[in-house]
Amino acid sequence: MVEESHGLEIGQHFYWRLGQLDLHGQIFLSSWILIGALLTIVVTGTRRMGRKPGGLQNLLEFLWDYIRNLSREQIGEAAYRDWMPFIGTLFLFIFFCNWGGALVPWRLVRLPSGELGAPTGDINTTVALALLVSLAYFYAGLSRKGLRYFEYYVEPTPIMLPFKIVEDFTKPLSLSFRLFGNIMADELTVSVLVLLLPLFVPLPMMFLGLFTSAIQALIFATLAAYYIGEAVHEEHA
């Protein structure tokens, strides 16, 4: 069952109603399309791997090395291998979502209401990703240190306890709003320029948006790896 939700929103949205739950249908659709494209690229690039990589295999091996070095630098030699898949998935998903919002002609897909766009241009997606990061670094700390992990909150002095609790709330907030704000601002800027100057003036802004979209994916993945590394670091024990 589909219904249109009314309220204070940026644009119109397409919802699926499941019982008493409203699901953001356009975000699910665009996410599945981009995940399908990402899986297709990965499967195609790894189907026939050779000793001398070329084409997609070369690109995928470059990404693998980059994510491995990023994870090792931020998390540390002892634990980075366990978290490489998580950090790599975050980076690739956010990167594809950001670039997909800028490059894919979503307006060609007609919906009963609203329109498709970058999943990361919706606050629900970025908050969900940030909460996953929070769960990940809590799990990383507890699985590696056990209850000793909570000693971090009272080091170097118990006075730090309330500040470190507040920090745990601000981490996902800063992650989610930074990503959402940058992607939404880029989409709105390009949309306004297209309406006002529809020929060639918006093109430089679109190329700049592609660059900043890639940077935002890198920042999100780097901060996620840093938070996990902070949780597993033995100096906190």
Side-chain angles (χ1 to χ4, degrees):
M1 180 178 179
V2 177
E3 77 167 21
E4 188 173 351
S5 179
H6 299 280
L8 183 60
E9 301 174 308
I10 299 178
Q12 294 182 335
H13 298 277
F14 173 66
Y15 289 91
W16 292 332
R17 168 63 65 84
L18 294 178
Q20 299 298 317
L21 182 64
D22 286 337
L23 299 179
H24 216 168
Q26 64 199 61
I27 300 303
F28 276 92
L29 288 173
S30 57
S31 296
W32 292 339
I33 292 171
L34 291 169
I35 290 172
L38 177 58
L39 289 176
T40 300
I41 291 174
V42 172
V43 171
T44 303
T46 56
R47 180 180 298 172
R48 296 177 180 177
M49 300 185 68
R51 291 183 177 272
K52 294 183 178 180
L56 275 179
Q57 181 185 342
N58 194 30
L59 173 62
L60 292 175
E61 289 190 9
F62 168 77
L63 290 173
W64 172 268
D65 289 336
Y66 187 83
I67 293 169
R68 180 183 59 189
N69 293 335
L70 170 66
S71 302
R72 178 189 289 144
E73 180 180 348
Q74 298 298 329
I75 299 176
E77 188 70 33
Y80 83 93
R81 292 179 180 85
D82 296 333
W83 291 100
M84 265 190 65
F86 179 71
I87 301 301
T89 301
L90 276 179
F91 173 76
L92 290 176
F93 176 72
I94 295 173
F95 180 86
F96 261 70
C97 286
N98 293 352
W99 272 44
L103 296 177
V104 178
W106 296 107
R107 293 177 183 272
L108 297 179
V109 181
R110 307 298 298 179
L111 296 177
S113 61
E115 62 183 23
L116 296 177
T120 45
D122 186 276
I123 189 65
N124 298 288
T125 304
T126 59
V127 168
L129 292 172
L131 290 177
L132 280 177
V133 173
S134 295
L135 291 175
Y137 73 73
F138 273 117
Y139 173 78
L142 289 171
S143 62
R144 192 166 187 86
K145 302 178 184 178
L147 294 179
R148 291 187 299 114
Y149 170 73
F150 293 105
E151 294 177 4
Y152 161 75
Y153 289 90
V154 292
E155 291 180 350
T157 170
I159 297 175
M160 297 299 297
L161 177 62
F163 299 102
K164 292 189 175 181
I165 291 176
V166 171
E167 183 183 23
D168 282 333
F169 285 97
T170 58
K171 283 177 180 177
L173 285 176
S174 64
L175 278 175
S176 57
F177 280 99
R178 179 189 296 110
L179 180 58
F180 164 72
N182 279 278
I183 302 305
M184 178 57 69
D186 179 64
E187 289 187 351
L188 291 176
T189 300
V190 173
S191 298
V192 170
L193 288 176
V194 168
L195 289 175
L196 297 177
L197 303 165
L199 293 178
F200 299 105
V201 175
L203 289 178
M205 292 299 300
M206 294 177 67
F207 285 114
L208 180 61
L210 292 176
F211 176 74
T212 57
S213 295
I215 293 298
Q216 288 304 314
L218 175 61
I219 290 174
F220 197 101
T222 302
L223 288 176
Y226 173 78
Y227 294 152
I228 293 171
E230 191 179 39
V232 302
H233 204 285
E234 285 298 334
E235 284 186 1
H236 295 157

